[in-house]
Amino acid sequence: MLVVLLQGTREEDDVVSEDLVEQDAQDLYDAGEAQWGTDEAKFIMLLGNRSVTHLQLVFDEYQKIAEKSIEDSIKSELSGDFETLMLAVGLYQCIVIFPICLQGLGTADNTLIRIMVCRSEIDMLDIRECFRLRYEKSLYNMIQDDTSGDYKRTLLKLCGGDDDIAGEFFPEAAQIAYKMWEISAMTKVQLRGTVRPYQNFDPASDAQALRKAMKGFGTDEDTIIDIVANRSNAQRQEIRQTFKSLLGRDLMADLKSELSKNLERLILGLMMSPAEFDAKMMKKAMEGAGTDEHALIEILVTRNNQEIQEMCSAYQNAYKKSLEDAIASETSGHFKRILISLAQGTREEDPADMARALEDAQELADACNADSGDLEDRFMSILCTRSFPHLRRVFQEFVRCSNKDIEQIIKKEMSGDIKNAMFAIVRSVKNQPSYFADRLYKAMKGLGTDDRALIRIMVSRSEIDLFNIRKEFKETHDASLHEFIQVETFVGDTSGDYRKILLILCGGED
């Protein structure tokens, strides 16, 4: 591919072969998704020679054929440096390189200087906006955090402005933002967990093995981990019932007496049903001196209606108090109203209604421009009730109505827990695995690990989308989740058996 690019024979940007658009899209599909293995030569030929304008049309046509974006296909069909190169050539150009050269230990200054200098008079505004939309942070702020002195001041001059403050799009960038929301609305992502049902499952055998591991002097943690981490939640519930039927003992009580600290919390969390676990996490988030607002937001925003209703029932059964009453007693103001609205588990589940999406987008835009002070109410009435597919279209049309970014409006016009709740909804609507990847990163970075958040996400997502979360984590933070758990959990109570089971749940090194 590098040799092809070195020839300098790419078609000029104004060259579009309309009769070839559909054929090129079909050729890309046939070279990857439609067959076993990948025809890299076809990818090289098309992405290395067609004009950028032509390729944009090809990628739109590809979306219709494959029912997924070319970005997702490249990520699933290619790997390593070749994957990075093809993404850079076909999709992101410079923005795929920026986070790699700015994140982690040290800055790749040669790469940073090269891009800032060579693109400053060409397309820096578009690069800035793509960067902000993809990485939830402005390029300006990233440079500010990772460089210093005169070098930083020069880079910031070349960058040209802080988009986190501006909040408004340039015309070209608005088109890009609109297109990215359209892709988000059209893309069908196959969610994959990392824990699957055990093939040769025998609940009686597992129950006996667990009893043996806890009987007598000492505890065989390896056996407990091997069984619990490698069974699906439905299978674990069978083991709990069988343990009581065969042995007349409560498995949860036995595990609690034999284990301790974070290993105990993680094992018991895995042994609970999803509804029991979510109810327990909501209780933990509200008990004691302070309230963990981030945990309340994370759970209520990311669970579907059935999961929320089952959690409410489990909470009532376990604590003899309704979840709504508990939320009302521990929170206040608009934030309380947002949480109570989400806790009803009555979010619409319909597909997007385009006519209604335009009305909703205009209502949000009007709320941003009004002086009535009811911005939070109007945002809540839409963001807390509409279906996620519908909201994707609303946020797309919001760009057209306001020339603004819904995320930046929330950051600029709201504050505190209300801002965090609304922002979490938008992030989940756009890309929920990415939202969870960011939550995991924040749980482990810096001094100390937020083990409760780490356990909550690893347990609750292990059978749903933890594989997708792993992928988003690697792309955003330039380190695998597996690696992060190994390094960040080495300090404190995360070494040994606790780290071992976390790595099993993670499912592999990316």
Side-chain angles (χ1 to χ4, degrees):
M1 183 64 177
L2 291 175
V3 172
V4 170
L5 295 175
L6 280 171
Q7 306 312 301
T9 55
R10 180 186 293 280
E11 296 168 349
E12 297 298 326
D13 272 356
D14 59 350
V15 175
V16 176
S17 305
E18 293 184 10
D19 55 329
L20 288 178
V21 168
E22 189 172 341
Q23 183 60 53
D24 286 350
Q26 187 64 52
D27 286 348
L28 285 173
Y29 180 71
D30 292 342
E33 294 288 343
Q35 66 175 23
W36 182 262
T38 306
D39 183 358
E40 290 90 351
K42 183 63 71 175
F43 275 78
I44 291 170
M45 189 276 287
L46 292 175
L47 271 66
N49 290 285
R50 297 289 193 258
S51 73
V52 173
T53 306
H54 178 87
L55 285 175
Q56 288 170 348
L57 297 175
V58 170
F59 297 157
D60 288 343
E61 187 65 30
Y62 183 91
Q63 181 97 32
K64 298 174 186 176
I65 296 171
E67 296 189 334
K68 65 191 299 188
S69 67
I70 188 69
E71 172 189 0
D72 288 337
S73 289
I74 288 174
K75 290 174 182 175
S76 64
E77 294 293 326
L78 308 176
S79 61
D81 292 335
F82 187 50
E83 175 193 346
T84 303
L85 175 59
M86 298 306 275
L87 287 172
V89 170
L91 295 168
Y92 311 136
Q93 298 177 3
C94 296
I95 66 164
V96 77
I97 307 300
F98 267 126
I100 297 172
C101 69
L102 286 168
Q103 285 183 342
L105 294 174
T107 302
D109 294 298
N110 288 340
T111 304
L112 182 57
I113 292 168
R114 182 176 67 249
I115 296 173
M116 295 299 292
V117 170
C118 73
R119 310 309 297 185
S120 60
E121 296 185 48
I122 302 173
D123 53 5
M124 183 57 70
L125 292 179
D126 290 343
I127 291 171
R128 273 169 38 187
E129 199 50 59
C130 287
F131 188 98
R132 174 160 68 102
L133 286 165
R134 184 165 180 82
Y135 300 108
E136 319 298 342
K137 186 174 184 178
S138 70
L139 176 59
Y140 188 97
N141 271 326
M142 188 76 87
I143 291 170
Q144 202 163 39
D145 291 345
D146 285 81
T147 59
S148 61
D150 292 334
Y151 176 48
K152 176 171 77 173
R153 284 190 285 275
T154 304
L155 289 173
L156 292 177
K157 284 285 187 183
L158 290 173
C159 182
D162 185 356
D163 300 296
D164 282 346
I165 294 175
E168 212 162 317
F169 291 119
F170 299 97
E172 298 85 354
Q175 293 174 17
I176 294 170
Y178 185 88
K179 188 67 178 177
M180 289 183 76
W181 273 113
E182 184 175 45
I183 291 172
S184 175
M186 293 175 62
T187 301
K188 297 179 181 179
V189 178
Q190 181 182 0
L191 299 180
R192 290 173 53 189
T194 55
V195 174
R196 299 174 181 83
Y198 188 67
Q199 290 297 312
N200 300 311
F201 177 56
D202 183 347
S205 175
D206 285 346
Q208 295 285 5
L210 286 171
R211 176 60 187 147
K212 183 179 178 182
M214 294 183 282
K215 192 175 181 180
F217 184 75
T219 304
D220 182 358
E221 287 88 354
D222 286 340
T223 296
I224 296 173
I225 290 170
D226 183 59
I227 293 174
V228 174
N230 291 292
R231 305 295 185 271
S232 69
N233 189 270
Q235 290 174 334
R236 294 185 207 116
Q237 302 316 306
E238 283 192 61
I239 294 170
R240 280 177 68 178
Q241 185 59 54
T242 304
F243 194 90
K244 184 167 283 188
S245 298
L246 288 179
L247 304 168
R249 302 177 67 91
D250 185 335
L251 176 57
M252 301 295 275
D254 282 2
L255 288 168
K256 190 173 180 64
S257 69
E258 293 293 328
L259 305 173
S260 63
K261 298 183 179 179
N262 285 323
L263 179 62
E264 173 200 334
R265 298 182 188 103
L266 181 50
I267 292 289
L268 290 177
L270 288 167
M271 290 304 304
M272 294 176 189
S273 70
E276 289 175 326
F277 181 69
D278 281 345
K280 179 79 170 179
M281 292 299 98
M282 291 292 287
K283 176 68 172 175
K284 286 291 184 183
M286 292 185 282
E287 71 181 9
T291 301
D292 185 349
E293 291 85 359
H294 287 291
L296 298 178
I297 292 168
E298 176 199 300
I299 294 169
L300 289 172
V301 165
T302 60
R303 299 327 188 239
N304 62 36
N305 287 342
Q306 182 179 343
E307 289 167 340
I308 289 174
Q309 290 162 11
E310 289 174 353
M311 173 181 65
C312 288
S313 297
Y315 194 97
Q316 179 73 50
N317 291 336
Y319 307 112
K320 310 309 176 189
K321 182 179 184 179
S322 74
L323 179 59
E324 181 177 331
D325 287 345
I327 291 170
S329 65
E330 294 295 330
T331 58
S332 61
H334 272 95
F335 181 57
K336 176 179 76 174
R337 291 167 56 194
I338 291 169
L339 295 184
I340 289 176
S341 174
L342 294 172
Q344 304 311 301
T346 55
R347 183 182 290 280
E348 296 169 6
E349 297 177 333
D350 301 322
D353 180 331
M354 285 306 299
R356 193 180 181 207
L358 285 167
E359 293 175 4
D360 288 343
Q362 190 61 59
E363 182 175 345
L364 293 176
D366 292 343
C368 296
N369 297 324
D371 297 323
S372 59
D374 63 347
L375 182 140
E376 288 91 351
D377 286 335
R378 292 165 79 174
F379 267 62
M380 185 181 79
S381 69
I382 293 173
L383 271 66
C384 293
T385 61
R386 306 294 195 261
S387 70
F388 276 21
H390 181 80
L391 284 175
R392 289 188 188 100
R393 290 298 186 185
V394 172
F395 299 154
Q396 178 189 0
E397 294 304 323
F398 181 82
V399 176
R400 193 200 298 274
C401 293
S402 67
N403 196 41
K404 294 175 182 176
D405 173 12
I406 190 78
E407 295 177 41
Q408 296 305 315
I409 286 295
I410 290 170
K411 286 181 181 179
K412 184 180 178 182
E413 301 294 337
M414 300 180 187
S415 60
D417 296 326
I418 298 171
K419 179 187 75 173
N420 293 334
M422 291 296 176
F423 193 65
I425 293 172
V426 175
R427 288 288 314 279
S428 293
V429 168
K430 180 186 284 186
N431 185 336
Q432 196 164 94
S434 174
Y435 168 72
F436 278 116
D438 187 55
R439 295 284 298 137
L440 283 171
Y441 178 75
K442 289 175 179 175
M444 290 185 283
K445 73 170 185 176
L447 293 174
T449 300
D450 183 351
D451 291 294
R452 184 174 291 174
L454 179 59
I455 291 169
R456 183 176 62 246
I457 297 171
M458 295 297 287
V459 169
S460 65
R461 311 313 297 184
S462 59
E463 293 184 53
I464 301 173
D465 55 3
L466 189 52
F467 180 85
N468 306 80
I469 293 168
R470 263 172 44 189
K471 195 172 181 182
E472 294 291 341
F473 193 100
K474 178 72 184 295
E475 288 176 9
T476 306
H477 302 294
D478 197 32
S480 70
L481 178 58
H482 192 278
E483 177 187 346
F484 235 74
I485 291 171
Q486 277 190 315
V487 174
E488 298 298 328
T489 62
F490 187 77
V491 181
D493 185 31
T494 54
S495 57
D497 294 322
Y498 175 50
R499 188 187 329 131
K500 177 180 177 180
I501 191 168
L502 284 172
L503 293 174
I504 293 173
L505 291 177
C506 181
E509 169 60 88
D510 297 306

